[in-house]
Structures are given as C-alpha cells and as structure tokens.
Amino acid sequence: MDRPAAAGGAARAEQERAAQETRTRVQLLIELTARNAVYRKGLLAAVKGLSPQEAVILADLERHGLQVPQLHDVLCGGHVLVDEPQLYEAWRFPEVSHHRLSSHHRDIDKSRYPDIGMRGQVVREKLHGRTANGTWLQLEKTPAASGPANCPAWTTCAI
C-alpha cells in the first residue's frame, strides 16, 4: 500500500473514532439527564439510534456551555440561542436537512437564511436558523406535518 492511501485510511479511521466518541458522550449525557427527569416515552431507546448529525448538534451545544441540567430543557423543546453564526451552516447536513417554515426570528432574511429542519431518532425534528448575531435551535417533539394545509415549507404556503 502506498503512503497517501495509508494516510487517507488512517485519517478516515480517526474521523470515525472521533465520531463514535462524540456519539457515546452525547448518549451518556442524555442518559444522565433522563435519570432525574420525565421525557417522552421511548427516549432512552431512541438514544441507541442517535445519528451522527444529532450527536454533532448536541456536542456543539455542550461545547458552548450546555450542562446536563439544561439538556432537559433542550430535549423538551426549549428555544436555544448560541452566539456563533457559523453553527447555522455547520448544522446543515445535506443528506438529512430540509428547509422549514417557522415563526422564529422573523427579522432575519429567510430567503438568505432559511430555517432548516432535520428529523432524527432522538430529536424527532430539529429546527434551526440564524439570528442577527448567532444561531438559534429548537428541538421539536413531533416532526412537522407536510402538505399545503400544514405549511411546512416556503413552497407550500401562501403568506
């Protein structure tokens, strides 16, 4: 095996190891939080299916100061503001993200910074967008309904 291929394989293995470490840490955070709080039925079972994208979002929140007691509020749908605009792009995952309509932060140009949704096992529906100075996030208990009557996307609603 030549050196560039070996280096590429080692880099991929390191990325996979780091991703698994993040998932394990986030799973433990959720399990710790769930010991003293009531959540939706099935949350602890859902943690076993935590996606890499869900782990990234919750790990980023932890990196920005989220503590175990605050995780309860986040998992129960609390609206979170983070003073880091770069998270808006970092939380857009091409394979699972989609544009979503929301009533949050209407002062932001939604054509430039549309609100972004993502479905997952743990968060069910993640919704995030930009603020003037950062990024906001809300985890929804129930995914958005789709179709013209429910207005889940800009293309299906007449506003």
PDB file of all heavy atoms in Angstrom, residues 118-134:
ATOM      1  N   MET A 118     -34.548  18.998  10.413  1.00  0.00           N
ATOM      2  CA  MET A 118     -33.867  17.713  10.301  1.00  0.00           C
ATOM      3  C   MET A 118     -34.603  16.731  11.203  1.00  0.00           C
ATOM      4  O   MET A 118     -34.880  17.048  12.360  1.00  0.00           O
ATOM      5  CB  MET A 118     -32.411  17.825  10.749  1.00  0.00           C
ATOM      6  CG  MET A 118     -31.646  16.502  10.684  1.00  0.00           C
ATOM      7  SD  MET A 118     -30.018  16.625  11.457  1.00  0.00           S
ATOM      8  CE  MET A 118     -30.434  16.240  13.159  1.00  0.00           C
ATOM      9  N   ARG A 119     -34.929  15.581  10.695  1.00  0.00           N
ATOM     10  CA  ARG A 119     -35.573  14.555  11.512  1.00  0.00           C
ATOM     11  C   ARG A 119     -34.525  13.613  12.070  1.00  0.00           C
ATOM     12  O   ARG A 119     -33.497  13.382  11.454  1.00  0.00           O
ATOM     13  CB  ARG A 119     -36.591  13.792  10.685  1.00  0.00           C
ATOM     14  CG  ARG A 119     -37.718  14.703  10.303  1.00  0.00           C
ATOM     15  CD  ARG A 119     -38.896  13.982   9.766  1.00  0.00           C
ATOM     16  NE  ARG A 119     -39.957  14.966   9.577  1.00  0.00           N
ATOM     17  CZ  ARG A 119     -40.758  14.987   8.556  1.00  0.00           C
ATOM     18  NH1 ARG A 119     -40.664  14.060   7.638  1.00  0.00           N
ATOM     19  NH2 ARG A 119     -41.689  15.917   8.455  1.00  0.00           N
ATOM     20  N   GLY A 120     -34.805  13.080  13.264  1.00  0.00           N
ATOM     21  CA  GLY A 120     -33.870  12.152  13.888  1.00  0.00           C
ATOM     22  C   GLY A 120     -34.574  11.246  14.873  1.00  0.00           C
ATOM     23  O   GLY A 120     -35.741  11.459  15.215  1.00  0.00           O
ATOM     24  N   GLN A 121     -33.859  10.244  15.340  1.00  0.00           N
ATOM     25  CA  GLN A 121     -34.410   9.314  16.324  1.00  0.00           C
ATOM     26  C   GLN A 121     -34.594   9.975  17.686  1.00  0.00           C
ATOM     27  O   GLN A 121     -35.583   9.754  18.350  1.00  0.00           O
ATOM     28  CB  GLN A 121     -33.484   8.101  16.479  1.00  0.00           C
ATOM     29  CG  GLN A 121     -33.450   7.204  15.277  1.00  0.00           C
ATOM     30  CD  GLN A 121     -34.788   6.525  15.066  1.00  0.00           C
ATOM     31  OE1 GLN A 121     -35.368   5.975  15.987  1.00  0.00           O
ATOM     32  NE2 GLN A 121     -35.281   6.587  13.854  1.00  0.00           N
ATOM     33  N   VAL A 122     -33.625  10.780  18.103  1.00  0.00           N
ATOM     34  CA  VAL A 122     -33.664  11.393  19.428  1.00  0.00           C
ATOM     35  C   VAL A 122     -34.417  12.713  19.389  1.00  0.00           C
ATOM     36  O   VAL A 122     -35.306  12.950  20.203  1.00  0.00           O
ATOM     37  CB  VAL A 122     -32.241  11.594  19.987  1.00  0.00           C
ATOM     38  CG1 VAL A 122     -32.267  12.378  21.286  1.00  0.00           C
ATOM     39  CG2 VAL A 122     -31.578  10.240  20.194  1.00  0.00           C
ATOM     40  N   VAL A 123     -34.078  13.573  18.450  1.00  0.00           N
ATOM     41  CA  VAL A 123     -34.670  14.914  18.458  1.00  0.00           C
ATOM     42  C   VAL A 123     -35.991  14.985  17.713  1.00  0.00           C
ATOM     43  O   VAL A 123     -36.675  15.998  17.776  1.00  0.00           O
ATOM     44  CB  VAL A 123     -33.697  15.968  17.882  1.00  0.00           C
ATOM     45  CG1 VAL A 123     -32.386  15.967  18.624  1.00  0.00           C
ATOM     46  CG2 VAL A 123     -33.462  15.774  16.397  1.00  0.00           C
ATOM     47  N   ARG A 124     -36.365  13.913  17.024  1.00  0.00           N
ATOM     48  CA  ARG A 124     -37.584  13.836  16.213  1.00  0.00           C
ATOM     49  C   ARG A 124     -37.568  14.884  15.109  1.00  0.00           C
ATOM     50  O   ARG A 124     -37.608  14.551  13.962  1.00  0.00           O
ATOM     51  CB  ARG A 124     -38.848  13.957  17.060  1.00  0.00           C
ATOM     52  CG  ARG A 124     -39.009  12.868  18.089  1.00  0.00           C
ATOM     53  CD  ARG A 124     -39.996  11.819  17.601  1.00  0.00           C
ATOM     54  NE  ARG A 124     -40.106  10.714  18.485  1.00  0.00           N
ATOM     55  CZ  ARG A 124     -41.119  10.518  19.314  1.00  0.00           C
ATOM     56  NH1 ARG A 124     -42.104  11.379  19.383  1.00  0.00           N
ATOM     57  NH2 ARG A 124     -41.139   9.455  20.070  1.00  0.00           N
ATOM     58  N   GLU A 125     -37.527  16.156  15.465  1.00  0.00           N
ATOM     59  CA  GLU A 125     -37.403  17.228  14.467  1.00  0.00           C
ATOM     60  C   GLU A 125     -36.564  18.338  15.082  1.00  0.00           C
ATOM     61  O   GLU A 125     -36.897  18.874  16.131  1.00  0.00           O
ATOM     62  CB  GLU A 125     -38.768  17.771  14.064  1.00  0.00           C
ATOM     63  CG  GLU A 125     -38.718  18.916  13.073  1.00  0.00           C
ATOM     64  CD  GLU A 125     -38.620  18.497  11.612  1.00  0.00           C
ATOM     65  OE1 GLU A 125     -38.846  17.324  11.286  1.00  0.00           O
ATOM     66  OE2 GLU A 125     -38.303  19.373  10.790  1.00  0.00           O
ATOM     67  N   LYS A 126     -35.453  18.643  14.414  1.00  0.00           N
ATOM     68  CA  LYS A 126     -34.607  19.757  14.822  1.00  0.00           C
ATOM     69  C   LYS A 126     -34.924  20.907  13.889  1.00  0.00           C
ATOM     70  O   LYS A 126     -35.036  20.734  12.685  1.00  0.00           O
ATOM     71  CB  LYS A 126     -33.136  19.356  14.709  1.00  0.00           C
ATOM     72  CG  LYS A 126     -32.122  20.426  15.070  1.00  0.00           C
ATOM     73  CD  LYS A 126     -31.689  21.318  13.941  1.00  0.00           C
ATOM     74  CE  LYS A 126     -31.193  20.606  12.721  1.00  0.00           C
ATOM     75  NZ  LYS A 126     -31.206  21.468  11.516  1.00  0.00           N
ATOM     76  N   LEU A 127     -35.079  22.077  14.451  1.00  0.00           N
ATOM     77  CA  LEU A 127     -35.321  23.276  13.671  1.00  0.00           C
ATOM     78  C   LEU A 127     -34.278  24.298  14.090  1.00  0.00           C
ATOM     79  O   LEU A 127     -34.050  24.496  15.286  1.00  0.00           O
ATOM     80  CB  LEU A 127     -36.735  23.786  13.952  1.00  0.00           C
ATOM     81  CG  LEU A 127     -37.219  25.012  13.208  1.00  0.00           C
ATOM     82  CD1 LEU A 127     -37.192  24.781  11.705  1.00  0.00           C
ATOM     83  CD2 LEU A 127     -38.633  25.350  13.656  1.00  0.00           C
ATOM     84  N   HIS A 128     -33.596  24.901  13.113  1.00  0.00           N
ATOM     85  CA  HIS A 128     -32.620  25.935  13.461  1.00  0.00           C
ATOM     86  C   HIS A 128     -32.585  27.003  12.375  1.00  0.00           C
ATOM     87  O   HIS A 128     -33.058  26.803  11.265  1.00  0.00           O
ATOM     88  CB  HIS A 128     -31.228  25.339  13.716  1.00  0.00           C
ATOM     89  CG  HIS A 128     -30.382  25.141  12.495  1.00  0.00           C
ATOM     90  ND1 HIS A 128     -30.462  24.020  11.694  1.00  0.00           N
ATOM     91  CD2 HIS A 128     -29.428  25.922  11.925  1.00  0.00           C
ATOM     92  CE1 HIS A 128     -29.586  24.110  10.706  1.00  0.00           C
ATOM     93  NE2 HIS A 128     -28.945  25.260  10.813  1.00  0.00           N
ATOM     94  N   GLY A 129     -32.035  28.143  12.764  1.00  0.00           N
ATOM     95  CA  GLY A 129     -31.911  29.259  11.846  1.00  0.00           C
ATOM     96  C   GLY A 129     -30.933  30.281  12.386  1.00  0.00           C
ATOM     97  O   GLY A 129     -30.296  30.079  13.406  1.00  0.00           O
ATOM     98  N   ARG A 130     -30.853  31.406  11.704  1.00  0.00           N
ATOM     99  CA  ARG A 130     -29.938  32.478  12.092  1.00  0.00           C
ATOM    100  C   ARG A 130     -30.643  33.510  12.950  1.00  0.00           C
ATOM    101  O   ARG A 130     -31.843  33.717  12.840  1.00  0.00           O
ATOM    102  CB  ARG A 130     -29.404  33.182  10.844  1.00  0.00           C
ATOM    103  CG  ARG A 130     -28.244  32.505  10.151  1.00  0.00           C
ATOM    104  CD  ARG A 130     -26.950  32.535  10.947  1.00  0.00           C
ATOM    105  NE  ARG A 130     -26.598  33.861  11.403  1.00  0.00           N
ATOM    106  CZ  ARG A 130     -25.828  34.720  10.749  1.00  0.00           C
ATOM    107  NH1 ARG A 130     -25.305  34.394   9.598  1.00  0.00           N
ATOM    108  NH2 ARG A 130     -25.568  35.906  11.252  1.00  0.00           N
ATOM    109  N   THR A 131     -29.865  34.150  13.786  1.00  0.00           N
ATOM    110  CA  THR A 131     -30.273  35.366  14.472  1.00  0.00           C
ATOM    111  C   THR A 131     -29.343  36.458  13.960  1.00  0.00           C
ATOM    112  O   THR A 131     -28.425  36.183  13.183  1.00  0.00           O
ATOM    113  CB  THR A 131     -30.133  35.251  16.005  1.00  0.00           C
ATOM    114  OG1 THR A 131     -28.743  35.133  16.336  1.00  0.00           O
ATOM    115  CG2 THR A 131     -30.896  34.058  16.555  1.00  0.00           C
ATOM    116  N   ALA A 132     -29.540  37.677  14.426  1.00  0.00           N
ATOM    117  CA  ALA A 132     -28.662  38.767  13.992  1.00  0.00           C
ATOM    118  C   ALA A 132     -27.209  38.492  14.356  1.00  0.00           C
ATOM    119  O   ALA A 132     -26.293  38.842  13.610  1.00  0.00           O
ATOM    120  CB  ALA A 132     -29.128  40.086  14.600  1.00  0.00           C
ATOM    121  N   ASN A 133     -26.980  37.815  15.507  1.00  0.00           N
ATOM    122  CA  ASN A 133     -25.612  37.606  15.990  1.00  0.00           C
ATOM    123  C   ASN A 133     -25.238  36.152  16.206  1.00  0.00           C
ATOM    124  O   ASN A 133     -24.203  35.876  16.813  1.00  0.00           O
ATOM    125  CB  ASN A 133     -25.410  38.356  17.312  1.00  0.00           C
ATOM    126  CG  ASN A 133     -25.610  39.834  17.143  1.00  0.00           C
ATOM    127  OD1 ASN A 133     -25.042  40.443  16.243  1.00  0.00           O
ATOM    128  ND2 ASN A 133     -26.447  40.417  17.978  1.00  0.00           N
ATOM    129  N   GLY A 134     -26.068  35.225  15.791  1.00  0.00           N
ATOM    130  CA  GLY A 134     -25.756  33.835  16.066  1.00  0.00           C
ATOM    131  C   GLY A 134     -26.702  32.876  15.390  1.00  0.00           C
ATOM    132  O   GLY A 134     -27.201  33.125  14.293  1.00  0.00           O
TER     133      GLY A 134
END
